[in-house]
Amino acid sequence: ADEITPKLVKGELDIAAVPANLASVLYNNTEGKIQILAINNLGVLYVVEQGETVKSFADLKGKTIYTTGKGTTPEYTLRHILSANGIDPDKDVTIEFKSEATEVGALLASAEGDMVAMLPQPYVTAVQAQNQNVKVCLDMTEEWGKISDQKLITGVLVARKEFIEANKASFDVFLGDYAASTQYVTENVDEAAAWVAEYGIVAKEPLAKKAIPQCNITCVTGEEMKALVNNYCDVLFNQNPASVGGTM
């Protein structure tokens, strides 16, 4: 995202897939010159455990949770759901941040005792391939749904408003093709898994085959998109206004 942002702002890129909160930051920082087109995936975060101690969010109390994304959406999502379950993120748990999901994955893969982490797909599947004792204990998308009437979202498509207006016909074709591609991937997992491996998104085809159904790939546009994005950004704004660009 750090590499994509300046290129979008400078006009070197026209369309990009970015974290949902970054879209709001870009919109605010460019005074509306960059806008959201579609939600491209819902929640992809999962709490996993090497052990058998976590059955519900209440069981996280007193534990250390390894994760990535300090100051970004994974942290805000975790804090929000912890708080909604009566757990103080600063007092009742220890959130241990690592720089990359692969770093957390490596710790889990080699863990011998109990260990709890929050990871996105497809890293969850990759870790489980290395250590069969690592189990998914909480689906963050499901947990979000228990405390909100809206869905958890992770990624969105954005584009430069100037580009959209100057290329309306081509842009409409692109967005239609994008929606079709997301549907194709979710309905043809075997074929899509081969492509995912071929393009280096996931190392191996079997891992991709297991991960795709857990990635909540979608294409949500229009009023439904607006409602979901507004709800999600409002949660982040209440924790840290800077996370969505300072204003709603």
Side-chain angles (χ1 to χ4, degrees):
D2 290 341
E3 294 176 46
I4 290 170
T5 297
K7 291 182 178 181
L8 267 173
V9 173
K10 292 176 184 176
E12 295 175 16
L13 295 177
D14 298 313
I15 304 174
V18 300
N21 73 303
L22 177 58
S24 181
V25 172
L26 287 168
Y27 176 86
N28 283 319
N29 288 353
T30 63
E31 298 180 339
K33 292 179 181 177
I34 292 171
Q35 61 187 53
I36 294 179
L37 316 173
I39 296 168
N40 60 7
N41 74 283
L42 304 175
V44 296
L45 293 168
Y46 295 84
V47 174
V48 298
E49 180 186 23
Q50 154 85 17
E52 298 283 349
T53 63
V54 179
K55 307 297 182 186
S56 70
F57 246 84
D59 297 330
L60 292 175
K61 195 168 186 177
K63 293 192 178 294
T64 297
I65 305 166
Y66 291 84
T67 189
T68 61
K70 183 174 178 60
T72 61
T73 50
E75 179 182 7
Y76 299 130
T77 300
L78 179 59
R79 282 179 168 275
H80 178 62
I81 300 178
L82 284 169
S83 298
N85 282 274
I87 301 171
D88 189 323
D90 297 309
K91 296 178 181 178
D92 297 333
V93 297
T94 300
I95 304 175
E96 185 75 30
F97 289 100
K98 298 298 179 182
S99 59
E100 297 286 343
T102 50
E103 188 178 355
V104 178
L107 289 171
L108 268 170
S110 60
E112 295 181 358
D114 289 348
M115 179 178 171
V116 177
M118 184 181 73
L119 280 172
Q121 285 287 9
Y123 294 103
V124 172
T125 301
V127 167
Q128 289 179 313
Q130 297 176 61
N131 185 343
Q132 295 181 355
N133 294 321
V134 174
K135 300 178 179 64
V136 172
C137 44
L138 297 168
D139 178 340
M140 296 296 277
T141 303
E142 185 178 310
E143 296 299 323
W144 183 283
K146 293 177 182 178
I147 60 172
S148 172
D149 59 358
Q150 299 283 6
K151 298 172 184 175
L152 174 62
I153 63 174
T154 300
V156 297
L157 281 183
V158 296
R160 293 190 301 110
K161 186 177 180 181
E162 182 182 11
F163 171 76
I164 297 171
E165 292 174 347
N167 301 275
K168 189 68 171 65
S170 297
F171 177 77
D172 288 345
V173 170
F174 163 78
L175 203 54
D177 285 349
Y178 190 89
S181 76
T182 60
Q183 182 178 350
Y184 192 91
V185 166
T186 56
E187 293 178 355
N188 299 273
V189 174
D190 289 356
E191 191 174 0
W195 292 333
V196 168
E198 180 184 343
Y199 289 114
I201 299 167
V202 172
K204 297 179 181 178
E205 187 176 330
L207 293 181
K209 188 175 178 180
K210 289 182 180 179
I212 287 172
Q214 312 303 320
C215 288
N216 291 316
I217 296 167
T218 189
C219 184
V220 180
T221 58
E223 293 304 316
E224 183 183 2
M225 171 192 72
K226 292 178 184 179
L228 290 175
V229 170
N230 187 70
N231 173 263
Y232 181 71
C233 287
D234 192 49
V235 168
L236 269 59
F237 179 83
N238 289 331
Q239 289 190 53
N240 179 7
S243 67
V244 294
T247 185
M248 285 289 290

